[in-house]
Amino acid sequence: MKQLKNTLYIMTPGTCLNLQNENIAVRVGGDEKVRVPANTITSIYCFGNITVSTPLISFCGERGITLCFFSEYGKFYGRVEGPVHGNILLRRRQFAAMEDVNQRTRYAKSILLGKLASEKGFLMRMRREHKSGESVFNAAINKITGIAEELRESISVDSMRGLEGAAAAAYFSAFSATLTNTTFTFSGRNRRPPEDPVNAILSFLYTLCKNDVQSALEGVGLDPAAGFLHTLRPGRPALALDLMEELRAPLCDRLAIALINRGQITEKSFSQLTPPVLLNEEGRKTILAAWQKRKGEEIRHPFLEENISIGLIPHAQAMIFARVLRGELDEYPPFYWR
């Protein structure tokens, strides 16, 4: 199994990153703050006005370290990577599967059934912890259960997308009942831009998850743009968005709720609370620290039946999906965590 390495998050404006004897030197205002051994890093995320030296860019390309650039508020700008090392034979199978209606439908259905199972499991757990919202949780759980049955009988990806939308509406209708911190309210999922703090947190976590899934897919030789569920568009990592669906509730939504209910994220974590709602530097640092800590925790993978770090779940699912495309497995087993 792949070893979990760290992601280096750079958020202080004016920071300069340089290469020093196979170490990543972090300088602020001309003073070196820290040196990080490059062999412990898999990705570097730069937020805002960050300078990266050309030698470091070259070094990262050679060593397979991904450089990701974001606005200071977490809007994704782009990635810098070295030469593509994808397996052309595996990618040929991936592209052929995209053109095969039966395979495309099967994979999309498996992914969405996994997503609905994770959402249902999340709400069932929240129902046990928040007795006052039992009726709200029951309504959403029953709705998702019914949609899952319809999904099993669906024969087209377009109809599956419609069912997924209905399930998402039911899922997020119960989301506010998970919040015990009454400072924040939630009336539904929105984005571009987020209109409330809860949506701002979710959007930020989803961006982090999407980049981890994309890196995992590239690591096993798959094309992250060649997906089965999401519409194909230039520059859109459709397959990364596909596999991310089953990970939203267990990896991102759980963490968002925990950060809010524990008071780790407060009104002071945002630069403004009116649309567009934006996390400030301290808010992003809090989320990133919690995200990195969470990735280091271990769980029992339901399909592999071995203990792995949470941060390796995207890599495990990418590896399993590659096995399915090679014909080593008959069906894709989505990740499901109660």
mmCIF file of all heavy atoms in Angstrom, residues 113 116 120 139-153 163 167:
data_model
loop_
_atom_site.group_PDB
_atom_site.id
_atom_site.type_symbol
_atom_site.label_atom_id
_atom_site.label_comp_id
_atom_site.label_asym_id
_atom_site.label_seq_id
_atom_site.Cartn_x
_atom_site.Cartn_y
_atom_site.Cartn_z
ATOM 1 N N LEU A 113 -24.514 4.978 -5.930
ATOM 2 C CA LEU A 113 -25.034 4.150 -4.842
ATOM 3 C C LEU A 113 -24.134 4.244 -3.618
ATOM 4 O O LEU A 113 -24.607 4.256 -2.481
ATOM 5 C CB LEU A 113 -25.170 2.698 -5.302
ATOM 6 C CG LEU A 113 -26.335 2.397 -6.252
ATOM 7 C CD1 LEU A 113 -26.254 0.966 -6.772
ATOM 8 C CD2 LEU A 113 -27.676 2.627 -5.544
ATOM 9 N N LEU A 116 -24.908 7.660 -1.983
ATOM 10 C CA LEU A 116 -26.156 7.652 -1.230
ATOM 11 C C LEU A 116 -26.043 6.824 0.044
ATOM 12 O O LEU A 116 -26.601 7.189 1.091
ATOM 13 C CB LEU A 116 -27.300 7.117 -2.109
ATOM 14 C CG LEU A 116 -28.108 8.170 -2.862
ATOM 15 C CD1 LEU A 116 -27.242 9.012 -3.774
ATOM 16 C CD2 LEU A 116 -29.227 7.513 -3.674
ATOM 17 N N LYS A 120 -26.628 8.383 3.692
ATOM 18 C CA LYS A 120 -27.592 7.762 4.602
ATOM 19 C C LYS A 120 -26.921 7.363 5.912
ATOM 20 O O LYS A 120 -27.466 7.591 7.005
ATOM 21 C CB LYS A 120 -28.219 6.542 3.921
ATOM 22 C CG LYS A 120 -29.273 5.842 4.748
ATOM 23 C CD LYS A 120 -29.878 4.669 3.980
ATOM 24 C CE LYS A 120 -30.850 3.882 4.840
ATOM 25 N NZ LYS A 120 -31.447 2.740 4.090
ATOM 26 N N ALA A 139 -37.069 11.684 7.755
ATOM 27 C CA ALA A 139 -37.634 12.061 6.458
ATOM 28 C C ALA A 139 -36.566 12.011 5.365
ATOM 29 O O ALA A 139 -36.808 11.491 4.266
ATOM 30 C CB ALA A 139 -38.246 13.461 6.545
ATOM 31 N N ALA A 140 -35.381 12.540 5.670
ATOM 32 C CA ALA A 140 -34.303 12.555 4.683
ATOM 33 C C ALA A 140 -33.803 11.142 4.399
ATOM 34 O O ALA A 140 -33.558 10.774 3.239
ATOM 35 C CB ALA A 140 -33.160 13.432 5.172
ATOM 36 N N ILE A 141 -33.654 10.333 5.445
ATOM 37 C CA ILE A 141 -33.177 8.954 5.279
ATOM 38 C C ILE A 141 -34.149 8.142 4.428
ATOM 39 O O ILE A 141 -33.745 7.404 3.524
ATOM 40 C CB ILE A 141 -32.970 8.294 6.661
ATOM 41 C CG1 ILE A 141 -31.770 8.930 7.373
ATOM 42 C CG2 ILE A 141 -32.780 6.784 6.520
ATOM 43 C CD1 ILE A 141 -31.663 8.560 8.837
ATOM 44 N N ASN A 142 -35.438 8.285 4.710
ATOM 45 C CA ASN A 142 -36.440 7.558 3.931
ATOM 46 C C ASN A 142 -36.438 7.995 2.472
ATOM 47 O O ASN A 142 -36.589 7.165 1.562
ATOM 48 C CB ASN A 142 -37.831 7.757 4.546
ATOM 49 C CG ASN A 142 -37.977 7.084 5.906
ATOM 50 O OD1 ASN A 142 -37.254 6.141 6.216
ATOM 51 N ND2 ASN A 142 -38.898 7.575 6.720
ATOM 52 N N LYS A 143 -36.263 9.291 2.249
ATOM 53 C CA LYS A 143 -36.229 9.808 0.886
ATOM 54 C C LYS A 143 -35.024 9.243 0.133
ATOM 55 O O LYS A 143 -35.149 8.786 -1.008
ATOM 56 C CB LYS A 143 -36.157 11.337 0.919
ATOM 57 C CG LYS A 143 -36.150 11.997 -0.455
ATOM 58 C CD LYS A 143 -37.474 11.846 -1.165
ATOM 59 C CE LYS A 143 -37.512 12.644 -2.442
ATOM 60 N NZ LYS A 143 -38.780 12.474 -3.194
ATOM 61 N N ILE A 144 -33.863 9.254 0.770
ATOM 62 C CA ILE A 144 -32.652 8.735 0.122
ATOM 63 C C ILE A 144 -32.770 7.240 -0.136
ATOM 64 O O ILE A 144 -32.338 6.736 -1.177
ATOM 65 C CB ILE A 144 -31.419 9.057 0.996
ATOM 66 C CG1 ILE A 144 -31.172 10.568 1.009
ATOM 67 C CG2 ILE A 144 -30.178 8.325 0.487
ATOM 68 C CD1 ILE A 144 -30.090 11.015 1.977
ATOM 69 N N THR A 145 -33.384 6.512 0.792
ATOM 70 C CA THR A 145 -33.586 5.067 0.614
ATOM 71 C C THR A 145 -34.432 4.784 -0.624
ATOM 72 O O THR A 145 -34.115 3.907 -1.435
ATOM 73 C CB THR A 145 -34.261 4.459 1.853
ATOM 74 O OG1 THR A 145 -33.436 4.685 2.999
ATOM 75 C CG2 THR A 145 -34.466 2.959 1.678
ATOM 76 N N GLY A 146 -35.496 5.563 -0.793
ATOM 77 C CA GLY A 146 -36.356 5.387 -1.955
ATOM 78 C C GLY A 146 -35.649 5.735 -3.259
ATOM 79 O O GLY A 146 -35.799 5.033 -4.272
ATOM 80 N N ILE A 147 -34.861 6.797 -3.232
ATOM 81 C CA ILE A 147 -34.124 7.205 -4.435
ATOM 82 C C ILE A 147 -33.082 6.157 -4.800
ATOM 83 O O ILE A 147 -32.855 5.882 -5.985
ATOM 84 C CB ILE A 147 -33.471 8.578 -4.210
ATOM 85 C CG1 ILE A 147 -34.563 9.655 -4.102
ATOM 86 C CG2 ILE A 147 -32.500 8.923 -5.342
ATOM 87 C CD1 ILE A 147 -34.045 11.023 -3.714
ATOM 88 N N ALA A 148 -32.453 5.556 -3.795
ATOM 89 C CA ALA A 148 -31.467 4.511 -4.062
ATOM 90 C C ALA A 148 -32.106 3.323 -4.785
ATOM 91 O O ALA A 148 -31.501 2.739 -5.691
ATOM 92 C CB ALA A 148 -30.820 4.050 -2.761
ATOM 93 N N GLU A 149 -33.339 2.984 -4.417
ATOM 94 C CA GLU A 149 -34.041 1.899 -5.095
ATOM 95 C C GLU A 149 -34.331 2.261 -6.551
ATOM 96 O O GLU A 149 -34.208 1.438 -7.458
ATOM 97 C CB GLU A 149 -35.345 1.569 -4.354
ATOM 98 C CG GLU A 149 -35.130 0.946 -2.982
ATOM 99 C CD GLU A 149 -34.291 -0.322 -3.045
ATOM 100 O OE1 GLU A 149 -34.548 -1.161 -3.945
ATOM 101 O OE2 GLU A 149 -33.377 -0.471 -2.226
ATOM 102 N N GLU A 150 -34.733 3.524 -6.785
ATOM 103 C CA GLU A 150 -34.948 3.972 -8.158
ATOM 104 C C GLU A 150 -33.651 3.958 -8.955
ATOM 105 O O GLU A 150 -33.628 3.596 -10.136
ATOM 106 C CB GLU A 150 -35.530 5.388 -8.160
ATOM 107 C CG GLU A 150 -36.932 5.519 -7.633
ATOM 108 C CD GLU A 150 -37.446 6.939 -7.769
ATOM 109 O OE1 GLU A 150 -37.510 7.440 -8.915
ATOM 110 O OE2 GLU A 150 -37.760 7.561 -6.729
ATOM 111 N N LEU A 151 -32.580 4.336 -8.282
ATOM 112 C CA LEU A 151 -31.284 4.394 -8.948
ATOM 113 C C LEU A 151 -30.839 3.012 -9.425
ATOM 114 O O LEU A 151 -30.247 2.877 -10.500
ATOM 115 C CB LEU A 151 -30.240 4.992 -7.994
ATOM 116 C CG LEU A 151 -28.823 5.189 -8.530
ATOM 117 C CD1 LEU A 151 -28.813 6.159 -9.707
ATOM 118 C CD2 LEU A 151 -27.903 5.690 -7.420
ATOM 119 N N ARG A 152 -31.128 2.003 -8.639
ATOM 120 C CA ARG A 152 -30.738 0.638 -9.022
ATOM 121 C C ARG A 152 -31.396 0.213 -10.335
ATOM 122 O O ARG A 152 -30.846 -0.596 -11.081
ATOM 123 C CB ARG A 152 -31.119 -0.347 -7.910
ATOM 124 C CG ARG A 152 -30.345 -0.157 -6.622
ATOM 125 C CD ARG A 152 -30.757 -1.168 -5.574
ATOM 126 N NE ARG A 152 -30.245 -0.827 -4.266
ATOM 127 C CZ ARG A 152 -29.005 -1.088 -3.850
ATOM 128 N NH1 ARG A 152 -28.174 -1.721 -4.667
ATOM 129 N NH2 ARG A 152 -28.598 -0.742 -2.644
ATOM 130 N N GLU A 153 -32.580 0.755 -10.601
ATOM 131 C CA GLU A 153 -33.312 0.394 -11.815
ATOM 132 C C GLU A 153 -33.043 1.351 -12.968
ATOM 133 O O GLU A 153 -33.510 1.118 -14.089
ATOM 134 C CB GLU A 153 -34.823 0.367 -11.516
ATOM 135 C CG GLU A 153 -35.227 -0.557 -10.378
ATOM 136 C CD GLU A 153 -34.830 -2.000 -10.640
ATOM 137 O OE1 GLU A 153 -34.941 -2.446 -11.808
ATOM 138 O OE2 GLU A 153 -34.400 -2.683 -9.685
ATOM 139 N N LEU A 163 -31.712 11.784 -10.301
ATOM 140 C CA LEU A 163 -31.952 11.139 -9.009
ATOM 141 C C LEU A 163 -30.938 11.613 -7.972
ATOM 142 O O LEU A 163 -31.279 11.813 -6.799
ATOM 143 C CB LEU A 163 -31.888 9.624 -9.173
ATOM 144 C CG LEU A 163 -33.028 8.991 -9.974
ATOM 145 C CD1 LEU A 163 -32.733 7.528 -10.280
ATOM 146 C CD2 LEU A 163 -34.346 9.111 -9.202
ATOM 147 N N ALA A 167 -31.625 13.334 -4.339
ATOM 148 C CA ALA A 167 -31.045 12.805 -3.100
ATOM 149 C C ALA A 167 -30.248 13.880 -2.377
ATOM 150 O O ALA A 167 -30.296 13.973 -1.142
ATOM 151 C CB ALA A 167 -30.158 11.604 -3.412
#
